[in-house]
Amino acid sequence: MGFKEVSSATIFCLLLLFCLGCRCLASELVTSQAATLNVDASPQSARKIPETLFGIFFEEINHAGAGGIWAELVSNRGFEAGGPHTPSNIDPWSIIGDDSSVFVATDRTSCFSRNIVALRMEVLCDDCPTGGVGIYNPGFWGMNIEDGKAYNLVMYVKSPETTDLTVSLTSSDGLQNLASTTITVSGTSNWTKVEQKLVANGTNRTSRLQITTNKKGVVWFDQVSLMPEDTYKGHGFRTELISMLLDLKPRFLRFPGGCFVEGDWLRNAFRWRESIGPWEERPGHFGDVWHYWTDDGLGYYEFLQLAEDLGAAPIWVFNNGVSHNDEVDTAAIAPFVKDVLDSLEFARGSADSTWGSVRAAMGHPEPFPVKYVAIGNEDCGKKIYRGNYLKFYNAIRQAYPDIQMISNCDGSSRPLDHPADLYDFHVYTDSKTLFNMRSTFDSTSRSGPKAFVSEYAVWRSDAGRGSLLASLAEAAFLTGLEKNSDIVQMASYAPLFVNDNDRTWNPDAIVFNSWQHYGTPSYWMQTLFRESSGAMVHPITVNSSYSGSLAASAITWQDSENSFLRVKVVNFGSDAVSLIISTSGLQASVNALGSTTTVLTSGNVIDENSFSNPNKVVPVKSELSNAAEQMQVTLAPHSFSAFDLALAQSKLVAEM
């Protein structure tokens, strides 16, 4: 009896454990959702996406230009950053020696009328220390000097007595000499332009430029520049950073801002006229929104050149007489209007025109094809915006009828009360909100101006410094723009660049320092949309109880040899999804050979890339061996997948 009771209890316990185990196992297995995605690929249902849909927006923020894509290695090369009143701060320049051996101060003796400040250096020592005394510049958090590469030095000097100067590239402490040359300055009261090529015999990522002498006396310096010889197409841009942009295949370049265009005060706004001509004559300015000085070596002309180098349409964002804190009344806006008309003549005028001849003298006799301008940036709420806007709009329409003009006022939910060809739409928000905004333009009126989503990004709380989660929400948002590309003409992420030493704004698409760079997940997400501009978009339907966590779109696109049906799907949820993709209406059969899957995901939804692990979250491409008009695939949790189905010859041709 006792034995039987024990056995029964044991059996009961075992059965209970078995049931509980099965239940736990079942709960672990039920982690995959089911969904179907139907693509109508018939020609009659397809619609062409604008050729301009996806591009890039460059703003001078985070040292994106100065100390970024613009390859100038010297910071504050003209000693103007401390202001026009002398003596002034010469940061980041510093002295080699001490105040008993060398005295430096700015004065107003430059030979350049638009940037009158120069540096006067007086050597006080009769018996100077070994190596001499002088000045050095560390660049933007250190200069990247690489073994075997050439660097072009240009500087202006004068001295009343003949003096030998040693110009060197050294380590940050001056102990490692990477390149050195001696320059003799003839004793004269006139300024002399010195040009010298320095070839490095070693590598140091945090180098400096130093200028020293052992001779007692006075030397003046101005406009000291050091540029790598191997810039992109010789146009002054950092090659490796431009390569990142080229990989996005941008169809337009919006420039130069952003808030950079407005300024906190108008006196510090970007002025195109002061950013053109010989670099030595550009006065530079303090960008008071993002709080740093720019020499404006990267100026209006260089932005136009960059757009041309990228094969992108330039979009010139100009100031409309409004800053964050002051504004020009409409009654007094005429000089600003003329200034913008002059800027357009500089870009588009013939080489014989007043401003076109300036462009030609800079090396570009052919006009730049500026066909888009934005009248201000985020100024719609300002009381005089509409009045000023109409002055610019009417003048530009009369002078350049083909130019498309972009209003700062959002027309996605209600009609604009003024004429425009496009309107700006900006969104910075959390990932969940942006994911849910994928249908934002579904109900937008199809008449009137088109939308330009010129700034979008996941921001703040769950964005980190560029997380997988942020990129998934952004990808979902872009699938909605693709589907609504009959009303959405253009879209660009923001900000584009950040120097890791000046993270004023996080996150950004591309992170760099003096010698390294990587793309955030948001950058890599955009690479899966680079074939969308000019492609054909197809209607889709998604059926699933889990559809609230899915976003998708479908396009057909072509490379130089083949055609593809690309189905992009974002799984924003934490469950895997067993997805059946069914395609109807294709005019060509699917060829498994050449079909691929590309997936952007990671082990943790908040994973980020970094200099130490730049490829932690990057797209992974593999063959899609089961590619067919109907196929089953698995979507990983928190993932963005692109299925490229290679299309063979048309069915009709095959049957014939």
Side-chain angles (χ1 to χ4, degrees), residues 53 74 158 199 372 416 575 602:
L53 185 57
V74 177
K158 71 172 182 176
V199 179
Y372 300 92
L416 298 181
D575 291 348
S602 191

Side-chain angles (χ1 to χ4, degrees), residues 454-474:
S454 54
E455 299 181 33
Y456 74 86
V458 171
W459 189 39
R460 287 186 172 167
S461 59
D462 51 7
R465 292 190 168 194
S467 65
L468 170 65
L469 180 64
S471 71
L472 298 181
E474 292 155 0

Side-chain angles (χ1 to χ4, degrees), residues 41 206 271 444 512 584 631 655:
T206 56
R271 305 282 182 168
T444 296
F512 65 89
S584 62
M631 62 183 187
E655 290 171 359

Side-chain angles (χ1 to χ4, degrees), residues 94-399:
S94 191
I95 66 169
I96 299 171
D98 57 33
D99 59 6
S100 67
S101 59
V102 62
F103 176 85
V104 298
T106 54
D107 61 21
R108 296 171 59 83
T109 59
S110 173
C111 57
F112 302 109
S113 60
R114 290 203 297 173
N115 43 12
I116 198 64
V117 176
L119 185 73
R120 178 183 183 274
M121 181 178 79
E122 182 176 0
V123 177
L124 305 173
C125 48
D126 291 304
D127 185 16
C128 294
T130 303
V133 297
I135 55 175
Y136 72 86
N137 187 288
F140 300 89
W141 301 282
M143 300 178 180
N144 179 36
I145 303 300
E146 297 183 312
D147 186 32
K149 291 192 174 182
Y151 301 86
N152 295 322
L153 171 77
V154 179
M155 65 179 181
Y156 290 77
V157 295
K158 71 172 182 176
S159 178
E161 298 181 3
T162 300
T163 302
D164 286 337
L165 299 175
T166 300
V167 180
S168 307
L169 300 177
T170 73
S171 57
S172 60
D173 57 10
L175 298 179
Q176 180 189 11
N177 193 309
L178 303 165
S180 188
T181 188
T182 299
I183 297 170
T184 300
V185 181
S186 300
T188 176
S189 60
N190 296 322
W191 285 92
T192 301
K193 183 179 182 180
V194 173
E195 298 180 85
Q196 189 75 42
K197 180 183 292 187
L198 298 170
V199 179
N201 58 18
T203 295
N204 189 292
R205 308 300 188 184
T206 56
S207 305
R208 71 188 195 187
L209 169 70
Q210 63 180 43
I211 307 170
T212 56
T213 183
N214 285 293
K215 183 174 181 179
K216 187 175 183 178
V218 178
V219 184
W220 280 265
F221 301 95
D222 199 11
Q223 298 301 327
V224 181
S225 170
L226 185 71
M227 290 282 279
E229 192 171 61
D230 60 342
T231 62
Y232 185 72
K233 292 189 173 182
H235 291 156
F237 304 108
R238 273 180 64 174
T239 301
E240 73 278 19
L241 296 183
I242 299 303
S243 177
M244 294 283 283
L245 300 185
L246 289 168
D247 284 347
L248 292 176
K249 300 181 181 178
R251 297 305 182 92
F252 64 82
L253 170 65
R254 179 180 183 244
F255 69 89
C259 297
F260 180 74
V261 168
E262 301 163 279
D264 262 352
W265 298 91
L266 279 171
R267 63 178 175 266
N268 293 319
F270 177 78
R271 305 282 182 168
W272 75 271
R273 201 184 299 257
E274 295 182 352
S275 75
I276 62 169
W279 61 266
E280 303 97 324
E281 298 177 13
R282 302 182 191 184
H285 78 288
F286 178 70
D288 59 355
V289 176
W290 306 122
H291 309 297
Y292 60 90
W293 175 265
T294 62
D295 289 315
D296 287 332
L298 177 57
Y300 182 53
Y301 174 88
E302 286 75 22
F303 281 117
L304 293 169
Q305 184 63 68
L306 177 59
E308 182 176 276
D309 289 349
L310 295 172
I315 301 179
W316 164 219
V317 184
F318 60 76
N319 187 291
N320 69 103
V322 176
S323 78
H324 289 178
N325 292 297
D326 58 342
E327 49 194 55
V328 177
D329 189 85
T330 301
I333 200 65
F336 286 75
V337 174
K338 182 181 184 304
D339 185 65
V340 168
L341 292 177
D342 289 345
S343 76
L344 293 173
E345 182 179 279
F346 175 88
R348 295 182 34 146
S350 73
D352 298 325
S353 64
T354 300
W355 286 103
S357 64
V358 178
R359 182 200 66 241
M362 293 181 70
H364 203 286
E366 295 301 317
F368 289 108
V370 176
K371 296 182 180 179
Y372 300 92
V373 295
I375 303 175
N377 173 73
E378 296 180 348
D379 293 328
C380 183
K382 305 294 176 63
K383 65 179 182 179
I384 52 83
Y385 178 69
R386 284 165 176 78
N388 286 8
Y389 173 92
L390 289 173
K391 292 290 188 181
F392 287 100
Y393 180 91
N394 292 331
I396 294 170
R397 183 62 81 218
Q398 181 177 359

Side-chain angles (χ1 to χ4, degrees), residues 510-522:
I510 301 169
V511 184
F512 65 89
N513 57 25
S514 69
W515 64 285
Q516 297 168 294
H517 66 280
Y518 66 86
T520 63
S522 295

Side-chain angles (χ1 to χ4, degrees), residues 644-655:
D644 277 310
L645 280 63
L647 303 179
Q649 290 181 310
S650 70
K651 294 178 180 178
L652 181 61
V653 172
E655 290 171 359

Side-chain angles (χ1 to χ4, degrees), residues 31-35 37 431-432 434-438 469 471-477 479 483 542-553 568-579 605 635-641:
T31 57
S32 180
Q33 303 286 338
L37 189 157
S431 60
K432 184 177 180 180
L434 191 63
F435 178 82
N436 290 330
M437 288 180 68
R438 63 195 185 279
L469 180 64
S471 71
L472 298 181
E474 292 155 0
F477 180 64
T479 63
K483 289 186 284 187
V542 177
N543 297 305
S544 175
S545 60
Y546 195 63
S547 60
S549 296
L550 301 176
S553 64
K568 296 190 288 289
V569 189
V570 177
N571 179 6
F572 198 62
S574 56
D575 291 348
V577 177
S578 177
L579 176 68
V605 74
L635 306 177
H638 298 126
S639 65
F640 176 32
S641 303

